[in-house]
Amino acid sequence: MSKHLWDITLQDLSEHAVWQFPMWKDDSCDETIVIPATKNDALNPNSQLIVKAKFIDAVGSEFVGYINYGLTEVEYSQPCMFVKGEAINFWFGISKPNEADLTKLNFPVVATSVPIYGLVSQSVIIKGYGYINKDPSSRVMYC
């Protein structure tokens, strides 16, 4: 079963806490397609994974979502959490998001991946909705 990353649901995360970006025969990777990962996949250092995570906002509300497993800065972990069934992404890359279109949340939000298959928990502190700043003096900006 393969899915586009943006099609992952809470049900999918309940059924499979770890997903991987499959590698093709030419060692390329489609950054939009994920498949459920096995324990062997999760422990392979060459696997690119997303892992189910618990999100806690500044007032203690809890949510479920996922993070890219590895580096813990928002631009690498690209966290996504579900609020009332809607996927909320925190990383916008080179596009500054329109603040009027963003879900109002109580920042900071801390995302912690579930320990599974021998993967240790990783935490990401989300200061706001992140994007790349055009000013090179500060690489990541938040709104």
Side-chain angles (χ1 to χ4, degrees):
M1 163 178 63
S2 65
K3 297 191 99 164
H4 285 282
L5 188 58
W6 54 82
D7 290 331
I8 293 289
T9 65
L10 282 171
Q11 181 66 34
D12 293 326
L13 292 173
S14 293
E15 294 172 6
H16 305 283
V18 183
W19 293 71
Q20 71 172 337
F21 296 91
M23 297 299 283
W24 309 115
K25 289 180 182 176
D26 64 355
D27 288 334
S28 66
C29 177
D30 182 340
E31 295 179 0
T32 66
I33 302 290
V34 290
I35 60 174
T38 66
K39 182 176 183 176
N40 286 340
D41 297 326
L43 296 177
N44 180 339
N46 295 318
S47 290
Q48 292 180 293
L49 307 170
I50 63 167
V51 179
K52 181 178 179 179
K54 179 164 85 170
F55 290 70
I56 301 175
D57 71 9
V59 296
S61 298
E62 294 186 12
F63 305 90
V64 174
Y66 60 84
I67 63 171
N68 285 332
Y69 194 80
L71 299 173
T72 57
E73 292 81 9
V74 71
E75 64 267 33
Y76 302 114
S77 62
Q78 299 186 15
C80 176
M81 76 178 194
F82 292 91
V83 177
K84 298 179 184 171
E86 180 185 354
I88 305 296
N89 291 295
F90 295 95
W91 180 245
F92 288 82
I94 62 171
S95 302
K96 180 179 180 182
N98 181 340
E99 291 186 47
D101 295 335
L102 299 174
T103 300
K104 303 296 182 217
L105 297 170
N106 297 303
F107 290 104
V109 175
V110 177
T112 304
S113 65
V114 298
I116 186 168
Y117 294 155
L119 299 172
V120 298
S121 291
Q122 291 188 331
S123 292
V124 178
I125 298 172
I126 306 164
K127 300 174 188 174
Y129 294 98
Y131 61 96
I132 295 174
N133 188 8
K134 292 178 183 174
D135 176 0
S137 66
S138 175
R139 194 171 74 125
V140 176
M141 297 295 294
Y142 297 95
C143 54

